[in-house]
Amino acid sequence: MSLKMRTSYKTLYLTFILSSICIFLYQYHMAIPRMISLQQQSINDPNLPPIYIITPTYRRPEQLAELTRLGYTLKHVPNIFWLVVEDAVDTTQLVTKLLLKLNIPFAHLLAPMPEKYRKNKVKPRGVSNRNRALEWIRANATEGVLYFADDDNTYDVEIFDEMRYTKKVSMWPVGLITKYGVSTPIVKNGTLAGFYDGWNGGRKYPVDMASFSVSVRFLLSRPNASMPFKPGYEEDGFLKSLSPLKLTEIELLASNCTEILVWHTQSKKNPNAMPLDTAKYNSTNLIQLRQIIV
Ligand code: UDP
Ligand code: MN
């Protein structure tokens, strides 16, 4: 082959590669607005089974921060309904305001912890809230799935897509639990072979609240299912109240429980803020900020 021919082959080859890159970039550029609009459409896709997110919450310095973080995570999830249940006698105005601003379909409910448990050293946290949400689901929902999402955990939105098609009960690992670092079903040859959790306590289901979802139809078929006011045994008691349920019927998500998509994060407890010297700071922004801080 002559030198001249070789050079023209090279030019041809280069032109081909460059034009392919140009066509690819052009098509990618054109596809971006379409991808965004597809994502937005799916936010309210009526063909997707709904996910009922049950979040117990209570007034404390961290409350608005936790709900803000969770709320903006949930905004990425299509067809969800957020049940925010306050452990309080009256709804907190700032929580209502946040819910309206987030523009996620929601119900803002109240379920104060019964007085007799309030004086306990170890309290059944969030139990009356979750039972109130179950009552709401029994009265208002017919299909889809429910999930107990505490306000302080961290959620990868992938977990919501996975749990959406739960037939009865699904389970998956939760990170940042006890000294084991994770609480998870043990999977052997693709089947459930037990549970790995730092504290067993004689439980049939030694799992965390964030580690399972339940289909609404299945809940409705178990009219007596509820959560016990028994610290440490809330998950176990609730799952047992769904019986009969075979261990083989539990669906193992997060790639057969090999991924962590939820973390049991716990915020540092902040002390209540000092009272404001209203005389000193009269006619300043601090008077308004005082309404927000706890
Ligand atoms: N919670 C509540 N009332 C309380 C304490 C907690 O409603 O008196 C809620 C809290 O907002 C959270 C859930 O119950 O969504 C679990 O509480 P927490 O995160 O304190 O428990 P932990 O994760 O440490 O077991
Ligand atoms: Mn927590």
Side-chain angles (χ1 to χ4, degrees):
M1 206 188 286
S2 72
L3 186 69
K4 203 173 156 199
M5 256 180 90
R6 221 185 290 162
T7 323
S8 76
Y9 264 122
K10 252 192 203 155
T11 321
L12 201 71
Y13 192 62
L14 256 170
T15 317
F16 177 74
I17 298 225
L18 275 174
S19 45
S20 300
I21 290 172
C22 285
I23 290 170
F24 172 80
L25 285 176
Y26 177 73
Q27 291 203 331
Y28 178 70
H29 179 77
M30 294 299 279
I32 288 173
R34 220 174 66 85
M35 288 193 301
I36 291 170
S37 81
L38 271 180
Q39 261 176 22
Q40 279 170 352
Q41 265 173 29
S42 67
I43 296 287
N44 289 310
D45 187 341
N47 298 318
L48 289 176
I51 303 177
Y52 294 92
I53 310 276
I54 298 171
T55 301
T57 186
Y58 70 114
R59 191 117 178 91
R60 61 197 190 284
E62 305 82 34
Q63 182 182 36
L64 282 180
E66 308 285 24
L67 290 174
T68 299
R69 191 155 42 110
L70 175 54
Y72 282 99
T73 297
L74 295 180
K75 271 191 85 72
H76 295 280
V77 188
N79 217 12
I80 54 155
F81 195 96
W82 196 11
L83 291 153
V84 177
V85 194
E86 287 197 65
D87 175 357
V89 199
D90 294 310
T91 50
T92 307
Q93 235 183 33
L94 288 163
V95 172
T96 315
K97 197 174 148 197
L98 174 66
L99 289 171
L100 292 169
K101 174 170 140 182
L102 284 164
N103 199 25
I104 298 168
F106 71 91
H108 189 178
L109 307 170
L110 290 171
M113 186 186 294
E115 205 52 51
K116 59 178 166 184
Y117 302 117
R118 277 196 187 278
K119 44 186 186 300
N120 290 6
K121 202 164 160 234
V122 191
K123 298 179 185 60
R125 290 185 293 242
V127 174
S128 63
N129 325 37
R130 297 192 195 95
N131 281 328
R132 175 68 191 89
L134 292 175
E135 200 181 288
W136 187 97
I137 287 174
R138 289 188 193 284
N140 296 284
T142 53
E143 50 163 0
V145 60
L146 66 92
Y147 179 53
F148 298 117
D150 287 356
D151 57 4
D152 55 341
N153 293 336
T154 306
Y155 306 90
D156 185 317
V157 289
E158 251 185 80
I159 196 62
F160 301 105
D161 289 334
E162 296 225 359
M163 70 174 75
R164 196 184 291 279
Y165 296 95
T166 298
K167 292 187 198 77
K168 287 189 173 176
V169 173
S170 296
M171 288 189 179
W172 53 82
V174 178
L176 295 175
I177 305 254
T178 72
K179 58 178 187 295
Y180 287 8
V182 69
S183 168
T184 180
I186 300 170
V187 184
K188 203 168 179 182
N189 301 323
T191 58
L192 180 59
F195 295 94
Y196 184 79
D197 189 286
W199 175 70
N200 195 290
R203 293 178 294 171
K204 177 177 181 190
Y205 301 101
V207 300
D208 184 69
M209 198 62 76
S211 73
F212 63 91
S213 63
V214 177
S215 96
V216 167
R217 275 174 212 265
F218 187 53
L219 176 84
L220 298 180
S221 75
R222 302 288 185 269
N224 297 319
S226 71
M227 191 167 287
F229 285 88
K230 196 175 166 192
Y233 293 84
E234 294 94 336
E235 299 88 348
D236 188 49
F238 173 68
L239 287 164
K240 282 198 314 220
S241 78
L242 291 171
S243 111
L245 169 68
K246 295 194 198 97
L247 289 184
T248 48
E249 291 175 316
I250 296 174
E251 293 162 69
L252 304 164
L253 305 186
S255 307
N256 257 336
C257 299
T258 59
E259 290 175 79
I260 295 179
L261 299 173
V262 186
W263 290 265
H264 183 252
T265 38
Q266 290 177 300
S267 299
K268 174 179 86 72
K269 291 255 172 293
N270 294 274
N272 285 4
M274 276 170 56
L276 182 75
D277 184 340
T278 48
K280 184 172 175 190
Y281 295 106
N282 193 19
S283 310
T284 74
N285 59 324
L286 289 168
I287 302 298
Q288 271 156 294
L289 288 176
R290 193 175 62 129
Q291 313 296 316
I292 301 172
I293 55 176
V294 176

